[in-house]
């Protein structure tokens, strides 16, 4: 499931983050990937230990926590602190699959069910840089307004096209979901969306309650931590 989340960050927040990021010290992005990624990754990142990464990452996660669609779509149990990357001067990231298991600072591990990219550059300000995601329906090229996010399965083959003009700056991170199976997550999101619509449309209260019970009973059956 590819999901476009609009206005995760407002324009003022994006501008403030960009001012800090544009003045930051970037390093070669190959320092944070395994062998498969290093062969195809040509971009820059903030160092993992950068205080700016920690500060802005927390801000991104706070915005995610406030966004009802983000929560309903991902059902997060663990989130890797966001990293920030920059593609310019022909930089790209060839086709790859993200690592399945990632280490967290507290010594625990995260299973990367879902990947999320939050765009911090307006599409008109750079050329190329599409995130291309392959799924069973083919390839999807994604280029979104600054402040918007794309949520997609970390298991999918994906790439970032070369940025031939300007710079593409983004935050990215992975989520371990309470519900590991993607089709089940999609079912829960569809049910949640339908319940909200029925409720907003003044549908029969008892029926809405019953459907809400079905949602929670499915979540109970399918969730794992
Ligand atoms: Ni990736």
């Amino acid at each position: 499931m590819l999901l476009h989340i609009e206005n995760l960050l407002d324009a003022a927040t994006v501008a403030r983050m960009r001012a800090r990021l544009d003045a930051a010290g970037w390093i070669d992005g190959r320092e944070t990937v395994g062998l498969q990624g290093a062969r195809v990754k040509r971009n820059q990142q903030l160092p993992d230990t950068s205080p700016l990464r920690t500060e802005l990452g927390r801000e991104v996660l706070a915005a995610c926590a406030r966004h009802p669609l983000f929560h309903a779509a991902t059902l997060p149990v663990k989130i890797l602190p966001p990293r920030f990357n920059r593609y310019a001067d022909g930089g790209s990231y060839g086709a790859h699959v993200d690592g399945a298991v990632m280490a967290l600072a507290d010594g625990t591990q995260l299973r990367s069910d879902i990947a999320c990219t939050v765009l911090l550059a307006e599409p008109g300000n750079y050329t190329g840089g599409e995130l291309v995601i392959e799924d069973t329906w083919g390839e999807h090229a994604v280029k979104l307004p600054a402040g918007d996010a794309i949520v997609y399965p970390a298991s999918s083959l994906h790439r970032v096209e070369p940025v031939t003009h300007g710079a593409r700056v983004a935050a990215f991170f992975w989520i371990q979901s309470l519900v590991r199976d993607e089709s089940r997550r999609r079912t829960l999101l569809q049910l949640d969306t339908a319940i909200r619509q029925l409720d907003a449309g003044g549908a029969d209260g008892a029926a809405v309650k019953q459907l809400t019970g079905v949602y929670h009973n499915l979540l109970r059956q399918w969730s794992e931590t």
Side-chain angles (χ1 to χ4, degrees), residues 20-84:
R20 305 278 306 279
L21 289 166
D22 289 349
W26 295 85
I27 58 167
D28 191 316
R30 279 172 285 192
E31 293 195 16
T32 56
V33 280
L35 199 59
Q36 180 224 4
R39 289 201 190 104
V40 292
K41 191 174 183 185
R42 298 287 177 270
N43 69 359
Q44 295 176 299
Q45 263 176 225
L46 283 193
D48 271 2
T49 53
S50 154
L52 186 61
R53 174 208 173 191
T54 308
E55 182 191 332
L56 298 187
R58 283 197 186 124
E59 213 175 325
V60 170
L61 292 187
C64 290
R66 286 193 300 268
H67 201 291
L69 181 59
F70 180 89
H71 186 87
T74 62
L75 301 166
V77 60
K78 286 183 185 179
I79 302 183
L80 197 88
R83 291 186 174 126
F84 294 82

Side-chain angles (χ1 to χ4, degrees), residues 58-185:
R58 283 197 186 124
E59 213 175 325
V60 170
L61 292 187
C64 290
R66 286 193 300 268
H67 201 291
L69 181 59
F70 180 89
H71 186 87
T74 62
L75 301 166
V77 60
K78 286 183 185 179
I79 302 183
L80 197 88
R83 291 186 174 126
F84 294 82
N85 61 15
R86 182 176 184 274
Y87 293 83
D89 304 318
S92 64
Y93 197 165
H96 66 279
V97 172
D98 298 332
V101 178
M102 301 178 182
L104 291 168
D106 65 2
T108 64
Q109 293 182 315
L110 168 145
R111 186 189 62 237
S112 63
D113 297 317
I114 301 168
C116 180
T117 299
V118 184
L119 280 308
L120 299 171
E122 286 299 349
N125 292 343
Y126 62 95
T127 306
E130 294 84 0
L131 172 65
V132 181
I133 300 162
E134 288 183 21
D135 70 10
T136 49
W137 302 94
E139 289 194 344
H140 307 270
V142 178
K143 194 166 179 175
L144 301 176
D148 286 12
I150 177 88
V151 161
Y152 60 101
S155 56
S156 63
L157 201 59
H158 55 274
R159 64 180 189 269
V160 177
E161 298 286 47
V163 174
T164 54
H165 176 261
R168 175 198 193 267
V169 178
F172 66 103
F173 55 94
W174 291 273
I175 300 146
Q176 179 173 328
S177 177
L178 268 174
V179 178
R180 179 181 195 159
D181 183 82
E182 198 216 331
S183 63
R184 288 176 172 177
R185 283 199 303 274

